[in-house]
Coordinates of all heavy atoms in Angstrom, one line a residue:
M270 N 0.8 -1.1 0.0 CA 0.0 0.0 0.0 C 0.9 1.2 0.0 O 1.7 1.4 0.8 CB -0.9 0.0 1.2 CG -1.7 1.2 1.4 SD -2.8 1.0 2.8 CE -3.3 2.6 3.1
E271 N 0.6 2.2 -0.9 CA 1.3 3.4 -1.0 C 0.7 4.5 -0.2 O -0.5 4.8 -0.5 CB 1.5 3.8 -2.5 CG 2.3 2.9 -3.2 CD 2.6 3.4 -4.7 OE1 3.0 4.6 -4.8 OE2 2.3 2.7 -5.6
S272 N 1.4 5.1 0.7 CA 0.8 6.1 1.5 C 0.7 7.5 0.8 O -0.2 8.2 0.9 CB 1.5 6.2 2.8 OG 2.9 6.5 2.6
N273 N 1.7 7.7 0.0 CA 1.7 9.0 -0.7 C 2.6 8.8 -2.0 O 3.7 9.2 -2.0 CB 2.3 10.1 0.2 CG 2.1 11.5 -0.4 OD1 1.8 11.6 -1.6 ND2 2.2 12.5 0.4
P274 N 2.1 8.3 -3.1 CA 2.8 7.9 -4.3 C 3.4 9.2 -5.0 O 4.4 9.1 -5.6 CB 1.8 7.2 -5.2 CG 0.5 7.5 -4.7 CD 0.7 7.9 -3.2
I275 N 2.7 10.3 -4.9 CA 3.2 11.5 -5.5 C 4.5 12.0 -4.9 O 5.5 12.3 -5.5 CB 2.1 12.6 -5.5 CG1 1.0 12.1 -6.4 CG2 2.7 14.0 -6.0 CD1 -0.3 13.1 -6.3
S276 N 4.5 12.0 -3.6 CA 5.7 12.4 -2.9 C 6.9 11.5 -3.2 O 8.0 12.0 -3.4 CB 5.5 12.5 -1.4 OG 4.6 13.5 -1.1
R277 N 6.6 10.2 -3.2 CA 7.7 9.3 -3.6 C 8.2 9.5 -5.0 O 9.4 9.6 -5.1 CB 7.2 7.8 -3.4 CG 8.3 6.8 -3.6 CD 7.8 5.4 -3.4 NE 7.4 5.2 -2.1 CZ 6.6 4.3 -1.7 NH1 6.0 3.5 -2.5 NH2 6.2 4.2 -0.4
R278 N 7.3 9.7 -5.8 CA 7.7 10.0 -7.3 C 8.5 11.2 -7.3 O 9.6 11.4 -8.0 CB 6.5 10.1 -8.1 CG 6.6 9.5 -9.5 CD 5.4 9.5 -10.3 NE 4.5 8.5 -9.8 CZ 3.2 8.5 -9.8 NH1 2.5 9.6 -10.2 NH2 2.5 7.5 -9.4
R279 N 8.1 12.3 -6.6 CA 8.8 13.5 -6.7 C 10.2 13.4 -6.0 O 11.2 14.0 -6.5 CB 8.0 14.6 -5.9 CG 8.6 15.9 -6.0 CD 7.7 17.0 -5.3 NE 8.4 18.3 -5.5 CZ 7.8 19.4 -5.7 NH1 6.5 19.4 -5.8 NH2 8.5 20.5 -5.7
L280 N 10.3 12.6 -4.9 CA 11.6 12.4 -4.2 C 12.5 11.7 -5.2 O 13.7 12.1 -5.3 CB 11.3 11.6 -3.0 CG 12.6 11.3 -2.1 CD1 13.2 12.5 -1.6 CD2 12.2 10.3 -1.1
L281 N 12.0 10.7 -5.9 CA 12.9 10.0 -6.8 C 13.4 10.9 -7.9 O 14.5 10.9 -8.4 CB 12.1 8.8 -7.4 CG 11.9 7.6 -6.5 CD1 11.0 6.6 -7.1 CD2 13.2 7.0 -6.1
A282 N 12.5 11.8 -8.4 CA 12.9 12.7 -9.5 C 13.9 13.7 -9.0 O 15.0 14.0 -9.7 CB 11.7 13.4 -10.0
V283 N 13.8 14.2 -7.8 CA 14.8 15.1 -7.2 C 16.1 14.4 -7.1 O 17.2 14.9 -7.4 CB 14.3 15.6 -5.9 CG1 15.4 16.4 -5.2 CG2 13.2 16.6 -6.1
A284 N 16.1 13.1 -6.5 CA 17.3 12.3 -6.4 C 18.0 12.1 -7.7 O 19.2 12.2 -7.9 CB 17.0 11.0 -5.7
A285 N 17.2 11.8 -8.7 CA 17.8 11.5 -10.0 C 18.4 12.8 -10.6 O 19.4 12.7 -11.2 CB 16.7 11.0 -11.0
G286 N 17.7 13.9 -10.4 CA 18.3 15.2 -10.8 C 19.6 15.5 -10.1 O 20.6 15.9 -10.8
A287 N 19.7 15.2 -8.8 CA 20.9 15.5 -8.1 C 22.0 14.6 -8.6 O 23.1 15.1 -8.7 CB 20.7 15.3 -6.6
L288 N 21.7 13.4 -8.9 CA 22.8 12.5 -9.4 C 23.3 12.9 -10.8 O 24.4 12.7 -11.2 CB 22.3 11.0 -9.5 CG 22.0 10.3 -8.2 CD1 21.4 8.9 -8.3 CD2 23.4 10.2 -7.5
T289 N 22.4 13.5 -11.5 CA 22.7 14.0 -12.9 C 23.6 15.2 -12.8 O 24.6 15.4 -13.6 CB 21.4 14.4 -13.7 OG1 20.7 13.2 -13.7 CG2 21.8 14.8 -15.1
V290 N 23.3 16.1 -11.9 CA 24.0 17.4 -11.7 C 25.4 17.3 -11.1 O 26.3 17.9 -11.5 CB 23.2 18.5 -11.0 CG1 23.9 19.7 -10.6 CG2 21.8 18.8 -11.7
A291 N 25.5 16.4 -10.1 CA 26.7 16.2 -9.4 C 28.0 16.0 -10.3 O 29.0 16.7 -10.2 CB 26.6 15.1 -8.4
P292 N 27.9 15.1 -11.3 CA 29.1 14.9 -12.2 C 29.4 16.1 -13.0 O 30.6 16.5 -13.2 CB 28.7 13.7 -13.1 CG 27.6 13.0 -12.4 CD 26.9 14.1 -11.6
V293 N 28.3 16.9 -13.4 CA 28.6 18.1 -14.2 C 29.3 19.1 -13.4 O 30.3 19.8 -13.9 CB 27.2 18.6 -14.6 CG1 27.4 20.0 -15.3 CG2 26.5 17.6 -15.6
V294 N 29.0 19.3 -12.1 CA 29.7 20.2 -11.2 C 31.1 19.8 -11.1 O 32.1 20.7 -11.3 CB 29.0 20.3 -9.8 CG1 29.9 21.1 -8.9 CG2 27.7 20.9 -10.0
F295 N 31.4 18.6 -10.9 CA 32.8 18.1 -10.7 C 33.6 18.2 -12.1 O 34.7 18.7 -12.1 CB 32.9 16.6 -10.3 CG 32.5 16.5 -8.8 CD1 31.4 15.8 -8.5 CD2 33.3 17.1 -7.8 CE1 31.0 15.6 -7.2 CE2 32.9 17.0 -6.5 CZ 31.8 16.3 -6.2
M296 N 32.9 17.9 -13.2 CA 33.5 18.1 -14.5 C 33.8 19.5 -14.8 O 34.8 19.8 -15.5 CB 32.7 17.4 -15.6 CG 32.7 15.9 -15.5 SD 31.5 15.2 -16.6 CE 32.0 15.8 -18.2
S297 N 32.9 20.4 -14.5 CA 33.1 21.8 -14.8 C 34.3 22.4 -14.2 O 35.0 23.3 -14.7 CB 31.9 22.6 -14.6 OG 31.6 22.7 -13.2
R298 N 34.7 21.9 -13.0 CA 35.9 22.4 -12.3 C 37.1 22.1 -13.2 O 38.0 22.8 -13.3 CB 36.0 21.8 -10.9 CG 34.9 22.2 -10.0 CD 35.1 21.6 -8.7 NE 35.8 22.6 -7.9 CZ 36.4 22.3 -6.7 NH1 36.4 21.1 -6.3 NH2 37.1 23.2 -6.1
E299 N 37.1 20.9 -13.8 CA 38.2 20.5 -14.7 C 38.1 21.2 -16.0 O 39.1 21.5 -16.5 CB 38.1 19.0 -14.9 CG 38.5 18.1 -13.7 CD 39.9 18.4 -13.2 OE1 40.8 18.5 -14.1 OE2 40.2 18.6 -12.1
A300 N 36.9 21.5 -16.4 CA 36.7 22.1 -17.8 C 37.4 23.5 -17.8 O 37.8 24.0 -18.8 CB 35.3 22.2 -18.1
F301 N 37.6 24.1 -16.6 CA 38.2 25.5 -16.6 C 39.7 25.4 -16.8 O 40.3 26.4 -17.0 CB 37.8 26.2 -15.3 CG 36.4 26.7 -15.2 CD1 35.5 26.2 -14.3 CD2 36.0 27.6 -16.2 CE1 34.3 26.6 -14.3 CE2 34.7 28.1 -16.2 CZ 33.8 27.6 -15.3
A302 N 40.2 24.2 -16.6 CA 41.7 24.0 -16.9 C 41.9 24.0 -18.4 O 41.5 23.1 -19.1 CB 42.2 22.8 -16.2
A303 N 42.5 25.1 -18.9 CA 42.6 25.2 -20.3 C 43.9 25.8 -20.7 O 44.5 26.6 -19.9 CB 41.5 26.1 -20.9
T304 N 44.4 25.5 -21.8 CA 45.7 26.1 -22.4 C 45.3 26.7 -23.8 O 44.4 26.3 -24.5 CB 46.7 25.0 -22.6 OG1 46.3 24.0 -23.5 CG2 47.1 24.3 -21.3
N305 N 46.0 27.7 -24.1 CA 45.9 28.4 -25.4 C 47.1 28.1 -26.2 O 48.1 28.8 -26.2 CB 45.7 30.0 -25.1 CG 45.5 30.6 -26.4 OD1 45.8 30.1 -27.5 ND2 44.8 31.8 -26.3
D306 N 47.0 26.8 -26.9 CA 48.2 26.3 -27.5 C 48.7 27.3 -28.7 O 49.9 27.4 -28.9 CB 47.9 25.0 -28.1 CG 47.6 23.9 -27.0 OD1 48.1 24.2 -25.9 OD2 46.8 23.0 -27.2
A307 N 47.8 28.0 -29.3 CA 48.2 28.8 -30.5 C 49.0 30.0 -29.9 O 50.1 30.3 -30.5 CB 47.0 29.4 -31.2
L308 N 48.6 30.7 -28.9 CA 49.4 31.8 -28.4 C 50.6 31.3 -27.7 O 51.6 31.9 -27.8 CB 48.5 32.6 -27.4 CG 47.7 33.8 -27.9 CD1 46.9 34.5 -26.9 CD2 48.7 34.8 -28.6
R309 N 50.5 30.1 -27.0 CA 51.7 29.5 -26.4 C 52.8 29.3 -27.4 O 54.0 29.8 -27.2 CB 51.4 28.3 -25.7 CG 50.8 28.3 -24.4 CD 50.5 27.0 -23.8 NE 49.9 27.1 -22.5 CZ 50.3 26.4 -21.4 NH1 51.3 25.4 -21.6 NH2 49.8 26.5 -20.2
K310 N 52.4 28.8 -28.6 CA 53.4 28.6 -29.6 C 54.0 29.8 -30.2 O 55.1 30.0 -30.4 CB 52.8 27.7 -30.7 CG 53.7 27.2 -31.8 CD 53.1 26.3 -32.7 CE 54.0 25.8 -33.8 NZ 53.5 24.9 -34.7
A311 N 53.0 30.8 -30.5 CA 53.4 32.1 -31.1 C 54.3 32.8 -30.2 O 55.3 33.5 -30.7 CB 52.2 32.9 -31.4
L312 N 54.2 32.7 -28.9 CA 55.0 33.4 -27.9 C 56.2 32.5 -27.3 O 56.9 32.9 -26.4 CB 54.2 34.0 -26.7 CG 53.3 35.1 -27.2 CD1 52.4 35.5 -26.0 CD2 54.0 36.3 -27.8
Q313 N 56.3 31.3 -27.9 CA 57.4 30.4 -27.6 C 57.4 30.1 -26.1 O 58.4 30.0 -25.4 CB 58.8 31.0 -28.0 CG 58.9 31.3 -29.4 CD 60.1 32.3 -29.7 OE1 61.0 32.3 -29.0 NE2 59.9 33.0 -30.8
Y314 N 56.1 29.9 -25.6 CA 56.0 29.6 -24.1 C 56.7 28.3 -23.8 O 56.6 27.3 -24.6 CB 54.6 29.5 -23.7 CG 54.4 29.1 -22.3 CD1 54.5 30.0 -21.2 CD2 54.1 27.7 -22.0 CE1 54.3 29.6 -19.9 CE2 53.9 27.4 -20.7 CZ 54.0 28.3 -19.7 OH 53.9 27.8 -18.3
Q315 N 57.3 28.3 -22.6 CA 57.9 27.0 -22.1 C 57.6 27.0 -20.6 O 57.4 28.0 -19.9 CB 59.4 27.0 -22.4 CG 60.2 28.1 -21.7 CD 61.6 28.3 -22.2 OE1 61.9 28.1 -23.4 NE2 62.5 28.5 -21.3
D316 N 57.5 25.7 -20.1 CA 57.2 25.6 -18.6 C 58.4 25.8 -17.7 O 58.3 25.7 -16.5 CB 56.6 24.2 -18.4 CG 55.1 24.1 -18.7 OD1 54.4 25.1 -18.5 OD2 54.6 23.1 -19.1
S317 N 59.5 26.1 -18.3 CA 60.8 26.3 -17.5 C 61.2 27.7 -17.6 O 60.9 28.4 -18.7 CB 61.8 25.3 -17.9 OG 62.1 25.4 -19.3
P318 N 62.0 28.2 -16.7 CA 62.5 29.6 -16.8 C 63.5 29.8 -18.0 O 64.0 28.8 -18.5 CB 63.3 29.8 -15.5 CG 63.0 28.7 -14.6 CD 62.5 27.5 -15.5
K319 N 63.8 31.0 -18.4 CA 64.8 31.3 -19.3 C 65.8 32.1 -18.6 O 65.7 33.3 -18.3 CB 64.3 32.1 -20.5 CG 65.4 32.2 -21.6 CD 64.8 32.6 -22.9 CE 65.9 32.6 -24.0 NZ 65.5 32.9 -25.3
G320 N 66.9 31.5 -18.1 CA 67.8 32.1 -17.3 C 67.1 32.5 -15.9 O 66.5 31.6 -15.3
A321 N 67.3 33.7 -15.5 CA 66.6 34.2 -14.3 C 65.1 34.7 -14.6 O 64.4 34.9 -13.6 CB 67.5 35.3 -13.7
D322 N 64.8 34.7 -15.8 CA 63.5 35.2 -16.1 C 62.4 34.1 -16.0 O 62.5 33.1 -16.6 CB 63.4 35.8 -17.6 CG 64.3 37.0 -17.7 OD1 64.7 37.6 -16.7 OD2 64.7 37.3 -18.8
K323 N 61.3 34.4 -15.4 CA 60.2 33.4 -15.2 C 59.0 34.2 -14.9 O 58.9 35.3 -14.5 CB 60.5 32.4 -14.1 CG 61.0 33.0 -12.8 CD 61.4 31.9 -11.8 CE 62.3 32.5 -10.7 NZ 63.0 31.5 -9.9
C324 N 57.9 33.5 -15.2 CA 56.5 34.2 -15.1 C 56.2 34.9 -13.8 O 55.7 36.0 -13.8 CB 55.4 33.1 -15.4 SG 55.5 32.4 -17.1
M325 N 56.6 34.3 -12.7 CA 56.3 34.9 -11.4 C 57.0 36.3 -11.3 O 56.6 37.1 -10.4 CB 56.8 34.0 -10.2 CG 58.2 33.9 -10.1 SD 58.7 33.0 -8.6 CE 58.0 31.3 -8.9
L326 N 58.0 36.6 -12.1 CA 58.6 37.9 -12.1 C 58.2 38.8 -13.2 O 58.7 39.9 -13.4 CB 60.1 37.7 -12.2 CG 60.8 36.8 -11.1 CD1 62.3 36.6 -11.4 CD2 60.6 37.4 -9.8
C327 N 57.2 38.4 -14.0 CA 56.7 39.1 -15.1 C 55.4 39.9 -14.8 O 54.6 39.5 -14.1 CB 56.4 38.1 -16.3 SG 55.6 38.8 -17.7
V328 N 55.3 41.1 -15.3 CA 54.1 42.0 -15.1 C 52.9 41.4 -15.7 O 51.8 41.8 -15.2 CB 54.4 43.4 -15.7 CG1 55.5 44.1 -15.0 CG2 54.6 43.3 -17.2
Q329 N 53.0 40.5 -16.6 CA 51.8 39.8 -17.2 C 51.2 38.7 -16.4 O 50.1 38.3 -16.6 CB 52.1 39.3 -18.6 CG 53.0 40.2 -19.4 CD 52.1 41.2 -20.2 OE1 50.9 41.4 -19.9 NE2 52.6 41.6 -21.4
F330 N 51.9 38.2 -15.5 CA 51.5 37.0 -14.7 C 50.4 37.3 -13.7 O 50.5 38.3 -12.9 CB 52.7 36.4 -14.0 CG 52.4 35.0 -13.4 CD1 52.0 34.0 -14.1 CD2 52.6 34.8 -12.0 CE1 51.7 32.7 -13.6 CE2 52.3 33.6 -11.5 CZ 51.9 32.5 -12.3
I331 N 49.4 36.4 -13.6 CA 48.3 36.5 -12.7 C 48.5 35.2 -11.9 O 48.1 34.2 -12.3 CB 47.0 36.6 -13.4 CG1 46.9 37.8 -14.3 CG2 45.8 36.6 -12.3 CD1 45.6 37.8 -15.2
P332 N 48.9 35.3 -10.6 CA 49.3 34.2 -9.9 C 48.0 33.2 -9.5 O 46.9 33.7 -9.5 CB 49.9 34.7 -8.6 CG 50.1 36.1 -8.8 CD 49.2 36.5 -9.9
G333 N 48.3 32.0 -9.3 CA 47.3 31.1 -8.8 C 47.0 31.3 -7.4 O 47.5 32.3 -6.8
K334 N 46.4 30.3 -6.8 CA 46.0 30.4 -5.3 C 47.3 30.4 -4.4 O 47.2 31.1 -3.4 CB 45.1 29.2 -4.9 CG 43.7 29.3 -5.5 CD 42.9 28.2 -5.1 CE 41.5 28.3 -5.8 NZ 40.7 27.1 -5.6
S335 N 48.3 29.7 -4.8 CA 49.5 29.7 -3.9 C 50.6 30.1 -4.9 O 50.5 30.0 -6.1 CB 49.7 28.4 -3.3 OG 50.3 27.5 -4.2
P336 N 51.8 30.4 -4.3 CA 52.9 30.8 -5.2 C 53.4 29.7 -6.1 O 54.0 30.0 -7.1 CB 54.1 31.1 -4.2 CG 53.4 31.5 -2.9 CD 52.1 30.6 -2.9
T337 N 53.1 28.4 -5.8 CA 53.5 27.4 -6.7 C 52.4 26.8 -7.6 O 52.7 26.1 -8.6 CB 54.0 26.1 -5.8 OG1 52.9 25.7 -5.0 CG2 55.3 26.5 -5.1
D338 N 51.2 27.3 -7.4 CA 50.1 26.9 -8.3 C 50.2 27.6 -9.6 O 50.7 28.8 -9.8 CB 48.7 27.3 -7.7 CG 48.2 26.4 -6.6 OD1 48.8 25.3 -6.5 OD2 47.4 26.8 -5.8
K339 N 49.7 27.0 -10.7 CA 49.6 27.5 -12.0 C 48.6 28.7 -12.0 O 47.7 28.8 -11.3 CB 49.3 26.5 -13.0 CG 50.3 25.5 -13.2 CD 50.1 24.5 -14.3 CE 51.3 23.6 -14.4 NZ 51.2 22.7 -15.4
G340 N 49.0 29.7 -12.8 CA 48.1 30.9 -12.9 C 47.8 31.2 -14.3 O 47.7 30.4 -15.2
M341 N 47.5 32.5 -14.6 CA 47.1 33.0 -15.8 C 48.1 34.1 -16.3 O 48.9 34.5 -15.5 CB 45.7 33.5 -15.8 CG 44.7 32.5 -15.3 SD 43.0 33.1 -15.2 CE 42.6 33.1 -17.0
C342 N 47.9 34.5 -17.5 CA 48.8 35.5 -18.1 C 48.0 36.4 -19.0 O 47.1 36.1 -19.7 CB 49.8 34.8 -19.0 SG 50.8 35.9 -20.1
K343 N 48.2 37.8 -18.8 CA 47.5 38.7 -19.6 C 47.9 38.7 -21.1 O 47.1 39.1 -22.0 CB 47.9 40.2 -19.1 CG 47.5 40.4 -17.7 CD 47.9 41.7 -17.2 CE 47.8 41.8 -15.6 NZ 48.5 42.9 -15.1
A344 N 49.1 38.1 -21.4 CA 49.4 38.0 -22.9 C 48.9 36.8 -23.5 O 48.5 36.7 -24.7 CB 51.0 38.0 -23.0
I345 N 48.9 35.6 -22.7 CA 48.4 34.4 -23.2 C 47.0 34.2 -22.6 O 46.8 33.6 -21.6 CB 49.3 33.3 -22.9 CG1 50.7 33.5 -23.5 CG2 48.7 31.9 -23.4 CD1 51.7 32.3 -23.1
T346 N 46.0 34.7 -23.3 CA 44.6 34.7 -22.8 C 44.0 33.3 -22.8 O 44.5 32.4 -23.6 CB 43.7 35.7 -23.6 OG1 43.8 35.3 -25.0 CG2 44.2 37.1 -23.4
N347 N 42.9 33.2 -22.0 CA 42.2 31.9 -21.9 C 43.1 30.7 -21.7 O 42.9 29.7 -22.3 CB 41.4 31.7 -23.3 CG 40.5 32.8 -23.6 OD1 39.7 33.3 -22.7 ND2 40.4 33.3 -24.8
D348 N 44.0 30.9 -20.8 CA 44.9 29.8 -20.4 C 45.2 30.0 -18.9 O 45.7 31.0 -18.5 CB 46.2 30.0 -21.2 CG 47.2 28.8 -21.0 OD1 47.3 28.3 -20.0 OD2 47.7 28.4 -22.1
D349 N 44.8 29.0 -18.1 CA 44.9 29.0 -16.7 C 46.0 28.0 -16.2 O 46.0 27.6 -15.1 CB 43.6 28.8 -16.0 CG 43.0 27.6 -16.2 OD1 43.5 26.7 -17.0 OD2 41.8 27.3 -15.8
Q350 N 46.9 27.6 -17.2 CA 47.9 26.6 -16.8 C 49.3 27.2 -17.0 O 50.3 26.4 -17.3 CB 47.7 25.4 -17.6 CG 46.4 24.6 -17.4 CD 46.2 24.1 -16.0 OE1 47.1 23.4 -15.5 NE2 45.2 24.6 -15.3
I351 N 49.4 28.5 -16.7 CA 50.7 29.1 -16.8 C 51.6 28.9 -15.6 O 51.2 29.1 -14.5 CB 50.6 30.6 -17.0 CG1 49.7 31.0 -18.3 CG2 51.9 31.2 -17.1 CD1 50.3 30.5 -19.6
S352 N 52.7 28.2 -15.8 CA 53.6 27.9 -14.6 C 54.2 29.1 -14.1 O 54.7 30.0 -14.9 CB 54.6 26.9 -15.0 OG 55.6 26.7 -14.0
P353 N 54.3 29.3 -12.7 CA 55.0 30.5 -12.2 C 56.5 30.5 -12.6 O 57.1 31.5 -12.6 CB 54.8 30.4 -10.6 CG 54.3 29.0 -10.4 CD 53.7 28.5 -11.7
T354 N 57.0 29.3 -12.9 CA 58.4 29.3 -13.3 C 58.5 29.0 -14.8 O 59.6 28.6 -15.3 CB 59.1 28.0 -12.6 OG1 58.3 26.8 -12.9 CG2 59.2 28.3 -11.2
G355 N 57.5 29.3 -15.5 CA 57.6 29.3 -17.0 C 58.1 30.6 -17.6 O 58.6 31.5 -16.9
W356 N 58.1 30.7 -18.9 CA 58.6 31.8 -19.6 C 58.1 31.9 -21.0 O 57.7 30.9 -21.6 CB 60.1 31.8 -19.6 CG 60.8 32.9 -20.5 CD1 61.2 34.1 -19.9 CD2 61.0 33.0 -21.9 NE1 61.7 34.9 -21.0 CE2 61.6 34.2 -22.2 CE3 60.8 32.0 -22.9 CZ2 61.9 34.5 -23.5 CZ3 61.2 32.4 -24.2 CH2 61.8 33.6 -24.5
C357 N 58.0 33.1 -21.5 CA 57.7 33.2 -23.0 C 58.3 34.5 -23.5 O 58.8 35.3 -22.7 CB 56.2 33.2 -23.3 SG 55.4 34.8 -23.2
A358 N 58.3 34.7 -24.8 CA 58.9 35.8 -25.5 C 58.3 37.2 -25.1 O 58.9 38.2 -25.3 CB 58.8 35.7 -27.0
A359 N 57.1 37.2 -24.5 CA 56.5 38.5 -24.1 C 56.9 38.9 -22.7 O 56.2 39.8 -22.1 CB 55.0 38.4 -24.2
F360 N 57.9 38.2 -22.1 CA 58.3 38.5 -20.7 C 58.7 39.9 -20.5 O 59.4 40.5 -21.3 CB 59.5 37.6 -20.3 CG 60.1 37.9 -19.0 CD1 59.6 37.3 -17.8 CD2 61.1 38.8 -18.9 CE1 60.1 37.6 -16.6 CE2 61.7 39.1 -17.6 CZ 61.1 38.5 -16.5
V361 N 58.1 40.6 -19.5 CA 58.5 42.0 -19.1 C 58.7 41.9 -17.6 O 57.7 41.7 -16.9 CB 57.4 42.9 -19.5 CG1 57.7 44.4 -19.0 CG2 57.1 43.0 -21.0
K362 N 59.9 42.1 -17.2 CA 60.2 42.0 -15.8 C 59.5 43.1 -14.9 O 59.4 44.3 -15.3 CB 61.7 42.2 -15.5 CG 62.2 41.8 -14.1 CD 63.6 41.7 -14.0 CE 64.0 41.2 -12.6 NZ 65.4 41.0 -12.5
K363 N 58.9 42.7 -13.8 CA 58.3 43.7 -12.9 C 59.3 44.7 -12.4 O 60.5 44.4 -12.2 CB 57.8 42.9 -11.6 CG 56.6 42.1 -11.9 CD 56.2 41.4 -10.5 CE 55.1 40.4 -10.9 NZ 54.8 39.6 -9.6
A364 N 58.9 45.9 -12.2 CA 59.8 47.0 -11.7 C 60.3 46.7 -10.3 O 59.6 46.1 -9.5 CB 59.1 48.3 -11.8
Ligands
SF4_512 FE1 54.9 34.2 -18.4 FE2 55.2 35.2 -20.9 FE3 52.9 35.5 -19.6 FE4 55.1 36.8 -18.8 S1 54.0 37.1 -20.7 S2 53.7 35.7 -17.4 S3 56.7 35.3 -19.2 S4 53.8 33.5 -20.2

C-alpha cells in the first residue's frame, strides 16, 4: 500500500536530478583548466625559466592560489595553466 505515491515519485525525481547534476559540477571544475596552444606557440612559451626570467617575475603574470600553483597570463589569454616558473617571449620584468 502506497501512503503517498506523488511524494515518492517527486523524491525519486529530485534524487535523479541530483545524481545528474553532481558529475557536471565536478567536471566543470576540470573544464576550466585550459591552455591556449596557439598563443603559447606564437610566444614560444615554455614551462621552465629562461635564465633568471620566469613568469612569477613578469608583469603579465596573474598568480594562482598559492605561489607554486599555476596561474594566468595577460598576454596568453584563456589559459589558466601558466607555470610560475615558465617563460615566454612576451616576458616583461616587474619593476
Ligand atoms: Fe609568463 Fe610570458 Fe605571460 Fe610573462 S608574458 S607571465 S613570461 S607567459
Side-chain angles (χ1 to χ4, degrees):
M270 176 179 163
E271 292 186 50
S272 59
N273 192 345
I275 294 173
S276 293
R277 182 177 298 156
R278 216 174 284 148
R279 185 174 179 144
L280 179 64
L281 287 172
V283 169
L288 288 174
T289 303
V290 170
V293 172
V294 171
F295 288 116
M296 287 172 60
S297 65
R298 298 182 88 196
E299 287 300 315
F301 287 115
T304 60
N305 186 334
D306 295 334
L308 267 177
R309 281 178 176 227
K310 187 174 181 182
L312 294 174
Q313 302 163 28
Y314 174 81
Q315 59 191 43
D316 275 329
S317 55
K319 183 162 188 175
D322 297 343
K323 49 191 164 190
C324 294
M325 68 173 65
L326 302 176
C327 176
V328 295
Q329 311 274 24
F330 188 59
I331 301 167
K334 289 180 183 172
S335 81
T337 57
D338 283 342
K339 292 187 175 178
M341 299 178 76
C342 170
K343 295 173 193 167
I345 302 177
T346 55
N347 300 318
D348 192 319
D349 60 4
Q350 297 296 303
I351 302 296
S352 171
T354 57
W356 176 89
C357 88
F360 176 84
V361 177
K362 191 171 183 172
K363 290 179 186 172

